[in-house]
Amino acid sequence: MREHATTVFGEMSALAVATGSVNLGQGFPDTDGPQVVKDAAIRAIQEGRGNQYPPAHGVPELRAAIAVHQKRFYGIELDPVTDVVVATGASEAIAAALLALVDLGDEVVMFSPWFDLYAAAVSLAGGVRVEVPLTAGAFRPDVDALRAAITPRTRVLLLNSPHNPTGSVFTRDELAAIAAVVAENDLWVISDEAYEHLVFSGSEHVPFCTLPGMAERTVTIGSAGKSLSMTGWKVGWATGPTDLVAAVRVPRQHLSFVSGGPFQWAVVEGLALPDSYWSDFRDGLERQRDLLCTGLVELGLPTTVPQGTYFATTDVRPLGYADGWAFCRDLPGRAGVVAIPHEVFHDDAEAGRPYVRWAFCKRPDVLQEALDRLSRAFA
Ligand SMILES: *Cc1c(COP(=O)(O)O)cnc(C)c1O
């Protein structure tokens, strides 16, 4: 595990605090989720719901709420008793799914740049990660490259759309082409859909398990932290066919056993919020995206405008840097802003070299302050 000893997010957030920088590095919102959901957590604590160990696979009411959510938004039918497991965030759900499905030496294929937890979780499971770079700049899945990366040892495709760090939302056609490779090679799929509700106008979130033939092979991952803007609560889940969920439950119950009892009760209310919550949430974040991306473009930075998530990507070469790491190390001192270099999300650092990730899940005044600082530094 030595290669996973530090995370870039911890390092950059510490640098932000030490230098008084605006932190557009780590992806957490600076505005909490709905007050009604906070009130529900407080009420659960006061009323004694979840203060003692809840059931290992999640509070039954939350499993039911997750099943209703999957039906309401995507038409997916799940039995809440057997097809849902609650976890300590999407993070634990992903780790448990890998521990369940990967044997020693099995290969796990993932598009790069990848979310850093994936690399560590594959190592924990004794697997071997195999990365397939998204196309440079546009960050689309290259399905021929995916097909070429599959070997007889490939067991799992670890998929993420909406995609962190690029903000790409894979289209139905792209997902269908990926599904063909999965079927040809008899793979399991872990589909990290933590950003399912953070998809902007003109794009659509298509759960991978809704593609023909994929439901029986796919573990789908969700995150209340992302969907309800409560990233510190760490409530997530895995859903899918009964046999796969049963497999995921085994390692999962021996990781944290259970966590976040009262928060699980609060998430029951959060998932049932009316359509207006979900559309206002999306629209607000889309305005923040537009503010940041417009500002970055005005600075002369080629910016890949994301279709979803918290993140935009720029190519820093026009500012005289060949290397995103060098840029991100200079940035706090030079401009008082923190961002994250893409190369930490690749094994082949070269593929990520010129790119930097900026988080826009911050209040408009904070984004404006960051842009003002950048334009003073790079005028
Ligand atoms: C934040 C994030 C997660 C982890 O979600 P938690 O619910 O906080 O554990 C998983 N996958 C991606 C892509 C993320 O960005």
Side-chain angles (χ1 to χ4, degrees), residues 27 88-94 115 117-118 160 162-164 192-195 221-226 230-232 234-237 310-311 357:
T88 303
S91 304
E92 190 194 36
I94 293 163
F115 185 52
L117 167 101
Y118 297 174
N160 174 219
H163 182 261
N164 177 5
D192 178 357
E193 303 184 9
Y195 293 100
I221 309 288
S223 168
K226 300 293 160 61
M230 302 289 195
T231 60
K234 296 298 289 188
V235 176
W237 48 85
Y310 289 157
F311 308 111
R357 187 192 87 171

Side-chain angles (χ1 to χ4, degrees), residues 128-144:
V128 176
R129 65 178 181 273
V130 174
E131 69 175 20
V132 178
L134 295 175
T135 61
F139 305 123
R140 307 313 311 179
D142 177 341
V143 176
D144 292 332

Side-chain angles (χ1 to χ4, degrees), residues 316-369:
V316 295
R317 285 173 291 194
L319 293 181
Y321 289 87
D323 182 328
W325 245 128
F327 176 82
C328 290
R329 283 218 181 83
D330 271 9
L331 200 57
R334 185 164 172 186
V337 178
V338 162
I340 303 281
H342 264 222
E343 69 172 73
V344 301
F345 306 123
H346 290 271
D347 284 313
D348 173 15
E350 207 49 53
R353 194 80 80 200
Y355 301 113
V356 165
R357 187 192 87 171
W358 310 81
F360 53 81
C361 47
K362 310 292 173 182
R363 294 190 312 272
D365 58 302
V366 173
L367 295 172
Q368 193 57 57
E369 174 63 23

